[in-house]
mmCIF file of all heavy atoms in Angstrom:
data_model
loop_
_atom_site.group_PDB
_atom_site.id
_atom_site.type_symbol
_atom_site.label_atom_id
_atom_site.label_comp_id
_atom_site.label_asym_id
_atom_site.label_seq_id
_atom_site.Cartn_x
_atom_site.Cartn_y
_atom_site.Cartn_z
ATOM 1 N N ARG A 87 160.889 57.328 130.188
ATOM 2 C CA ARG A 87 161.523 56.332 131.063
ATOM 3 C C ARG A 87 162.368 57.041 132.122
ATOM 4 O O ARG A 87 162.316 56.699 133.304
ATOM 5 C CB ARG A 87 162.387 55.400 130.216
ATOM 6 C CG ARG A 87 163.051 54.270 130.982
ATOM 7 C CD ARG A 87 163.878 53.427 130.020
ATOM 8 N NE ARG A 87 163.051 52.831 128.999
ATOM 9 C CZ ARG A 87 162.487 51.633 129.098
ATOM 10 N NH1 ARG A 87 162.672 50.910 130.191
ATOM 11 N NH2 ARG A 87 161.749 51.156 128.128
ATOM 12 N N ILE A 91 161.937 56.997 136.313
ATOM 13 C CA ILE A 91 163.018 56.554 137.191
ATOM 14 C C ILE A 91 163.323 57.624 138.240
ATOM 15 O O ILE A 91 163.470 57.335 139.432
ATOM 16 C CB ILE A 91 164.275 56.231 136.358
ATOM 17 C CG1 ILE A 91 164.032 54.969 135.530
ATOM 18 C CG2 ILE A 91 165.491 56.056 137.268
ATOM 19 C CD1 ILE A 91 165.145 54.651 134.553
ATOM 20 N N VAL A 96 162.085 54.123 140.645
ATOM 21 C CA VAL A 96 162.196 52.775 140.084
ATOM 22 C C VAL A 96 163.549 52.693 139.395
ATOM 23 O O VAL A 96 164.190 53.707 139.102
ATOM 24 C CB VAL A 96 161.069 52.484 139.073
ATOM 25 C CG1 VAL A 96 159.728 52.479 139.747
ATOM 26 C CG2 VAL A 96 161.086 53.493 137.929
ATOM 27 N N THR A 97 164.016 51.498 139.148
ATOM 28 C CA THR A 97 165.292 51.327 138.468
ATOM 29 C C THR A 97 165.059 50.957 137.012
ATOM 30 O O THR A 97 163.966 50.522 136.632
ATOM 31 C CB THR A 97 166.120 50.216 139.129
ATOM 32 O OG1 THR A 97 165.448 48.953 138.931
ATOM 33 C CG2 THR A 97 166.268 50.469 140.630
ATOM 34 N N ASP A 98 166.083 51.149 136.228
ATOM 35 C CA ASP A 98 165.979 50.750 134.819
ATOM 36 C C ASP A 98 165.714 49.259 134.710
ATOM 37 O O ASP A 98 165.012 48.802 133.811
ATOM 38 C CB ASP A 98 167.261 51.120 134.081
ATOM 39 C CG ASP A 98 167.119 50.981 132.587
ATOM 40 O OD1 ASP A 98 166.239 51.654 132.011
ATOM 41 O OD2 ASP A 98 167.874 50.191 131.988
ATOM 42 N N GLU A 99 166.247 48.514 135.655
ATOM 43 C CA GLU A 99 166.024 47.067 135.684
ATOM 44 C C GLU A 99 164.540 46.758 135.903
ATOM 45 O O GLU A 99 164.006 45.809 135.325
ATOM 46 C CB GLU A 99 166.870 46.427 136.788
ATOM 47 C CG GLU A 99 166.791 44.905 136.853
ATOM 48 C CD GLU A 99 167.505 44.248 135.687
ATOM 49 O OE1 GLU A 99 168.362 44.908 135.054
ATOM 50 O OE2 GLU A 99 167.209 43.073 135.422
ATOM 51 N N ASP A 100 163.874 47.572 136.747
ATOM 52 C CA ASP A 100 162.452 47.351 137.056
ATOM 53 C C ASP A 100 161.572 47.447 135.814
ATOM 54 O O ASP A 100 160.580 46.719 135.679
ATOM 55 C CB ASP A 100 161.952 48.385 138.076
ATOM 56 C CG ASP A 100 162.557 48.186 139.458
ATOM 57 O OD1 ASP A 100 162.894 47.030 139.777
ATOM 58 O OD2 ASP A 100 162.691 49.184 140.196
ATOM 59 N N ILE A 101 161.902 48.394 134.938
ATOM 60 C CA ILE A 101 160.990 48.678 133.830
ATOM 61 C C ILE A 101 161.587 48.395 132.452
ATOM 62 O O ILE A 101 160.979 48.722 131.431
ATOM 63 C CB ILE A 101 160.528 50.153 133.871
ATOM 64 C CG1 ILE A 101 161.719 51.096 133.815
ATOM 65 C CG2 ILE A 101 159.676 50.410 135.091
ATOM 66 C CD1 ILE A 101 161.326 52.573 133.751
ATOM 67 N N LYS A 102 162.743 47.742 132.421
ATOM 68 C CA LYS A 102 163.417 47.563 131.136
ATOM 69 C C LYS A 102 162.610 46.678 130.175
ATOM 70 O O LYS A 102 162.736 46.821 128.951
ATOM 71 C CB LYS A 102 164.816 46.980 131.338
ATOM 72 C CG LYS A 102 164.839 45.531 131.800
ATOM 73 C CD LYS A 102 166.282 45.029 131.889
ATOM 74 C CE LYS A 102 166.341 43.558 132.281
ATOM 75 N NZ LYS A 102 167.753 43.079 132.350
ATOM 76 N N LYS A 103 161.781 45.786 130.709
ATOM 77 C CA LYS A 103 161.028 44.893 129.815
ATOM 78 C C LYS A 103 159.742 45.522 129.294
ATOM 79 O O LYS A 103 159.028 44.911 128.509
ATOM 80 C CB LYS A 103 160.723 43.585 130.532
ATOM 81 C CG LYS A 103 159.781 43.698 131.711
ATOM 82 C CD LYS A 103 159.547 42.312 132.320
ATOM 83 C CE LYS A 103 158.613 42.375 133.515
ATOM 84 N NZ LYS A 103 158.376 41.043 134.102
ATOM 85 N N TYR A 104 159.449 46.758 129.736
ATOM 86 C CA TYR A 104 158.225 47.421 129.283
ATOM 87 C C TYR A 104 158.558 48.473 128.226
ATOM 88 O O TYR A 104 159.556 49.180 128.331
ATOM 89 C CB TYR A 104 157.503 48.075 130.463
ATOM 90 C CG TYR A 104 157.140 47.085 131.529
ATOM 91 C CD1 TYR A 104 157.737 47.141 132.791
ATOM 92 C CD2 TYR A 104 156.220 46.073 131.285
ATOM 93 C CE1 TYR A 104 157.429 46.217 133.767
ATOM 94 C CE2 TYR A 104 155.906 45.137 132.257
ATOM 95 C CZ TYR A 104 156.511 45.215 133.498
ATOM 96 O OH TYR A 104 156.203 44.296 134.465
ATOM 97 N N GLU A 105 157.711 48.556 127.255
ATOM 98 C CA GLU A 105 157.887 49.536 126.174
ATOM 99 C C GLU A 105 157.278 50.859 126.631
ATOM 100 O O GLU A 105 156.205 51.252 126.196
ATOM 101 C CB GLU A 105 157.239 49.017 124.904
ATOM 102 C CG GLU A 105 157.860 47.716 124.420
ATOM 103 C CD GLU A 105 156.942 46.985 123.457
ATOM 104 O OE1 GLU A 105 156.879 47.410 122.296
ATOM 105 O OE2 GLU A 105 156.309 46.009 123.868
ATOM 106 N N VAL A 106 157.972 51.524 127.524
ATOM 107 C CA VAL A 106 157.443 52.692 128.224
ATOM 108 C C VAL A 106 156.984 53.779 127.249
ATOM 109 O O VAL A 106 155.871 54.308 127.353
ATOM 110 C CB VAL A 106 158.479 53.259 129.204
ATOM 111 C CG1 VAL A 106 157.976 54.566 129.810
ATOM 112 C CG2 VAL A 106 158.775 52.239 130.301
ATOM 113 N N GLU A 107 157.845 54.151 126.317
ATOM 114 C CA GLU A 107 157.508 55.258 125.407
ATOM 115 C C GLU A 107 156.270 54.949 124.577
ATOM 116 O O GLU A 107 155.393 55.796 124.389
ATOM 117 C CB GLU A 107 158.698 55.571 124.492
ATOM 118 C CG GLU A 107 159.841 56.292 125.185
ATOM 119 C CD GLU A 107 160.678 55.368 126.076
ATOM 120 O OE1 GLU A 107 160.564 54.128 125.936
ATOM 121 O OE2 GLU A 107 161.433 55.886 126.923
ATOM 122 N N VAL A 134 155.184 49.956 138.370
ATOM 123 C CA VAL A 134 155.506 48.815 137.513
ATOM 124 C C VAL A 134 154.243 48.016 137.200
ATOM 125 O O VAL A 134 154.030 47.577 136.066
ATOM 126 C CB VAL A 134 156.562 47.912 138.191
ATOM 127 C CG1 VAL A 134 156.820 46.674 137.337
ATOM 128 C CG2 VAL A 134 157.860 48.687 138.408
ATOM 129 N N PHE A 137 152.198 49.686 134.481
ATOM 130 C CA PHE A 137 152.743 49.489 133.146
ATOM 131 C C PHE A 137 152.564 48.054 132.663
ATOM 132 O O PHE A 137 152.369 47.811 131.465
ATOM 133 C CB PHE A 137 154.212 49.898 133.093
ATOM 134 C CG PHE A 137 154.390 51.346 132.766
ATOM 135 C CD1 PHE A 137 154.505 52.278 133.780
ATOM 136 C CD2 PHE A 137 154.372 51.788 131.457
ATOM 137 C CE1 PHE A 137 154.627 53.625 133.496
ATOM 138 C CE2 PHE A 137 154.490 53.135 131.166
ATOM 139 C CZ PHE A 137 154.623 54.058 132.183
ATOM 140 N N GLN A 141 150.599 47.606 129.210
ATOM 141 C CA GLN A 141 151.265 46.970 128.071
ATOM 142 C C GLN A 141 150.464 45.764 127.596
ATOM 143 O O GLN A 141 150.410 45.484 126.397
ATOM 144 C CB GLN A 141 152.686 46.547 128.446
ATOM 145 C CG GLN A 141 153.441 45.956 127.259
ATOM 146 C CD GLN A 141 154.941 46.067 127.424
ATOM 147 O OE1 GLN A 141 155.480 47.143 127.628
ATOM 148 N NE2 GLN A 141 155.621 44.945 127.337
#
Side-chain angles (χ1 to χ4, degrees):
R87 183 180 299 269
I91 290 173
V96 295
T97 66
D98 191 59
E99 184 71 20
D100 291 332
I101 58 176
K102 70 177 183 179
K103 66 179 180 180
Y104 301 114
E105 299 161 77
V106 174
E107 286 76 16
V134 176
F137 272 93
Q141 183 156 305

